[in-house]
Amino acid sequence: MDDLGIVELYFARDEQAIKETDKKYGKLCRSISYNILKNKEDSEECVNDTYIGVWNAIPPTRPNHFIGFVCKITRNLALKRIEAMNRLKRSQATVVSLDELAEILSDESIAEDVSDEGITELIGDFLRKEKADVRNVFLRKYYFFDSIGDIARRYDFTESKVKNMLHHTRTKLKDFLIKEGIEIRKHREL
């Protein structure tokens, strides 16, 4: 079933919508949540919560990109779950990924008058201008929380190349945000 048909099932309040969502995007949702949580049971709960979140959001929301809508809910739920966990039990890979971006995107480094939506839009603009492999590596690391090794295998790169691409992209992103007028308070080395 195509995405439009699944969305229509949600609008009709037909529970088949959840089954179709799981059939089409369940594996992707499980992958996203597992990459963040590193726990199969927590990941499965997160995916189930995703379906409840989608059910509660549609209607009234009619997403233009259903896959992105579902992935965003999964990712946000997994991140909220990890925040709720004891810091000592958090996934080290996720902490490292978030720390890398926090250098330029943390609440402490961005001026108070800048909205999260504004930053998100600028990051999207920045990534659209990058080469596809750079954009894909960045998204796999910081959106899907794939490991460096997984990214390297996926794109047939060395781990060193992936690390260098990520470092270079973070540096370019920081420069881009400054050029776009985003005041970055702390200018720490990336």
Side-chain angles (χ1 to χ4, degrees):
M1 177 174 281
D2 69 1
D3 289 354
L4 184 59
I6 296 171
V7 170
E8 290 306 319
L9 288 174
Y10 280 103
F11 269 88
R13 305 315 283 163
D14 185 336
E15 291 183 13
Q16 185 65 29
I18 294 172
K19 292 177 184 170
E20 294 296 330
T21 303
D22 184 59
K23 188 166 143 185
K24 191 163 185 182
Y25 297 119
K27 184 176 179 181
L28 177 60
C29 291
R30 284 174 187 83
S31 174
I32 292 168
S33 62
Y34 185 81
N35 284 344
I36 296 170
L37 298 168
K38 301 295 184 205
N39 179 288
K40 188 175 178 180
E41 293 78 23
D42 287 343
S43 297
E44 194 61 42
E45 283 182 38
C46 182
V47 171
N48 290 334
D49 290 346
T50 295
Y51 299 146
I52 293 168
V54 173
W55 181 265
N56 290 335
I58 305 175
T61 303
R62 186 177 290 275
N64 292 328
H65 298 95
F66 186 65
I67 184 173
F69 184 77
V70 172
C71 288
K72 183 177 180 180
I73 289 174
T74 302
R75 181 179 182 274
N76 288 343
L77 287 170
L79 289 172
K80 284 180 185 176
R81 182 178 291 262
I82 216 165
E83 282 177 15
M85 292 177 177
N86 182 325
R87 287 188 177 268
L88 297 174
K89 294 181 181 176
R90 291 184 0 172
S91 163
Q92 186 61 32
T94 302
V95 173
V96 169
S97 293
L98 293 175
D99 285 348
E100 289 170 358
L101 283 182
E103 293 290 323
I104 55 174
L105 299 176
S106 70
D107 290 340
E108 295 81 32
S109 66
I110 302 293
E112 292 176 12
D113 62 337
V114 178
S115 71
D116 289 344
E117 293 80 19
I119 294 287
T120 301
E121 189 173 317
L122 284 172
I123 292 171
D125 292 345
F126 169 79
L127 289 174
R128 278 187 283 283
K129 294 174 186 171
E130 292 298 307
K131 292 180 183 176
D133 61 341
V134 171
R135 182 175 50 247
N136 290 336
V137 166
F138 188 88
L139 290 172
R140 293 308 313 180
K141 178 66 174 164
Y142 300 118
Y143 189 84
F144 295 104
F145 295 101
D146 285 356
S147 71
I148 298 290
D150 288 343
I151 296 168
R153 282 186 292 282
R154 175 183 287 268
Y155 297 108
D156 199 27
F157 295 152
T158 64
E159 289 188 17
S160 178
K161 179 175 180 169
V162 172
K163 289 176 186 176
N164 286 332
M165 288 174 75
L166 291 168
H167 176 77
H168 181 70
T169 306
R170 287 192 313 272
T171 302
K172 280 181 68 176
L173 175 59
K174 179 180 177 181
D175 292 343
F176 173 81
L177 291 173
I178 291 169
K179 182 180 170 195
E180 291 296 315
I182 301 300
E183 178 187 342
I184 298 181
R185 292 184 187 147
K186 296 177 187 174
H187 294 280
R188 293 190 279 181
E189 189 66 32
L190 294 175

